[in-house]
Amino acid sequence: MTVVAPFGLSVRDEALEAAVQTGLAAVEEGLLEATKSDVPFITEAAQHLVRAGGKRFRPLLVMLAAQFGDPHAPGVVPSAVVVELTHLATLYHDDVMDEAAIRRGVPSANTRWDNSVAVLTGDFLFSRASNILADLGPEAVRIQAQAFERLVTGQILETAGPSEGRDPIDHYMEVLSGKTGSLIAVAGRFGALMSGASDSTVDVLTQYGERIGMAFQLADDVLDIASESRESGKTPGTDLREGIQTLPVLHLRAAAERAGLREDLELCALLDGDLTDDARLGEALERLRVHPALAQAKRDTIRYAEEARTMLSALPRCAARAALEGLCEAVVVRTG
């Protein structure tokens, strides 16, 4: 039997399959329970994205990390609910900042209602996550608080942009480490910690989570340009059209500044123009797909995936380790 996890990962072990499926089902129930309110409108708004689905990558990582201790320990499922609630809350806020119209195939909360409702709903989810967290002890509260600080810092750095003289690519990696890597690192850490795994195992799975989180985010950057379909869950070129400076674009701009080749400068000018026009967007995608900048972004993505895999060498060989290694392989497949 096979449980299909995010990004086409297959866990080919019956015992692990059962554990993961049971755990994720419990997380789903926990998410619905945590988003209930005595006020029906709040329940509707808070469950808007929960019911829209999603990859549930963070809870999956919690479940896999918990296999290195007692996966049935009482704190495992609640900690996975906390991480996913935090992630969902950031999506409500992100959609307001980005003026997004669609999220997970449904109208974003700010579109369906308004910005105020979206922001307050995100705050509501943060409060529910904190309430659950309080039962997990002061160490868990501190871990979450530190990760949340990193997450917000990453968002602020993205908004502010690189400081004068700062390498835009280094700045971008710092942003992603805060915005994405921090919370996925917590997923690995909570799973191991709540299951009673050793301190060294907790450290390994925390570092693994940070790196695999970076790898998947960078893979999305690559797929926004490289994919011919909706492999990444959104229409190819979405980031380009919205003017988001992803890693391939940053590599292109660095090359243009370094060598000043006419073709690179022209492509930069095209990206700086109006990409709401389908023909212009199509031309930009076509030219980026054959540019060395995309190949460099793929190499960077794979490097993070390989770093994540290397971290796992300190863990005992088992089905859970094989599944975590499978996530690293999935990154390579996605960017291929």
Side-chain angles (χ1 to χ4, degrees):
M1 298 176 68
T2 301
V3 56
V4 179
F7 315 111
L9 170 69
S10 293
V11 180
R12 300 186 180 279
D13 181 275
E14 290 188 5
L16 180 58
E17 173 188 14
V20 169
Q21 287 184 333
T22 299
L24 291 179
V27 170
E28 211 63 30
E29 291 179 8
L31 288 171
L32 291 173
E33 185 62 32
T35 48
K36 288 180 181 176
S37 169
D38 293 336
V39 181
F41 175 71
I42 295 178
T43 301
E44 180 185 9
Q47 293 186 351
H48 179 62
L49 289 184
V50 174
R51 295 188 181 279
K55 300 181 182 75
R56 301 291 190 258
F57 176 65
R58 292 156 187 82
L60 171 68
L61 184 52
V62 173
M63 295 304 135
L64 290 175
Q67 303 304 310
F68 295 90
D70 175 10
H72 305 294
V76 172
V77 169
S79 69
V81 173
V82 165
V83 173
E84 189 66 9
L85 281 175
T86 303
H87 173 57
L88 289 169
T90 65
L91 298 184
Y92 281 84
H93 288 179
D94 282 351
D95 286 345
V96 172
M97 295 181 66
D98 299 338
E99 299 180 348
I102 299 293
R103 170 69 70 174
R104 294 182 172 176
V106 299
S108 60
N110 47 298
T111 298
R112 180 170 176 178
W113 294 289
D114 59 31
N115 284 349
S116 295
V117 169
V119 170
L120 292 170
T121 301
D123 292 346
F124 176 80
L125 295 180
F126 283 132
S127 72
R128 287 299 175 89
S130 298
N131 191 48
I132 297 170
L133 200 59
D135 292 331
L136 299 178
E139 183 178 6
V141 173
R142 186 175 297 108
I143 290 168
Q144 176 78 352
Q146 290 171 345
F148 192 54
E149 178 184 349
R150 287 187 61 202
L151 195 157
V152 173
T153 299
Q155 185 66 68
I156 291 172
L157 286 174
E158 180 180 54
T159 302
S163 58
E164 186 175 354
R166 178 81 190 277
D167 182 348
I169 293 176
D170 288 345
H171 173 81
Y172 184 66
M173 293 301 191
E174 184 179 2
V175 167
L176 293 192
S177 177
K179 284 187 60 178
T180 303
S182 62
L183 195 56
I184 295 179
V186 166
R189 187 171 184 178
F190 273 168
L193 182 67
M194 296 301 163
S195 71
S198 68
D199 289 347
S200 60
T201 298
V202 172
D203 183 58
V204 165
L205 289 166
T206 300
Q207 294 187 54
Y208 169 88
E210 177 95 24
R211 287 163 176 77
I212 202 67
M214 291 286 288
F216 275 118
Q217 182 57 57
L218 293 176
D220 276 349
D221 285 4
V222 170
L223 283 172
D224 186 63
I225 293 166
S227 65
E228 298 284 354
S229 61
R230 296 174 183 265
E231 296 171 60
S232 59
K234 60 186 178 182
T235 304
T238 297
D239 290 338
L240 291 183
R241 179 164 270 168
E242 294 176 358
I244 297 173
Q245 302 293 301
T246 56
L247 187 59
V249 174
L250 291 174
H251 276 310
L252 165 67
R253 295 190 186 283
E257 183 176 341
R258 187 169 55 246
L261 296 177
R262 179 175 59 82
E263 294 84 357
D264 290 351
L265 294 172
E266 287 177 352
L267 182 50
C268 287
L270 178 62
L271 294 177
D272 290 335
D274 181 11
L275 293 182
T276 59
D277 179 77
D278 288 342
R280 289 176 62 86
L281 178 63
E283 180 186 351
L285 285 170
E286 184 178 347
R287 293 176 66 174
L288 275 170
R289 284 169 181 162
V290 296
H291 195 281
L294 182 62
Q296 180 60 56
K298 289 181 180 181
R299 289 193 293 271
D300 292 338
T301 304
I302 293 169
R303 174 169 54 84
Y304 275 100
E306 289 304 314
E307 286 179 4
R309 180 198 287 274
T310 299
M311 296 304 306
L312 298 174
S313 63
L315 299 179
R317 293 190 178 278
C318 60
R321 173 176 158 177
L324 293 170
E325 289 172 340
L327 287 177
C328 302
E329 293 173 6
V331 170
V332 178
V333 171
R334 292 178 82 212
T335 60

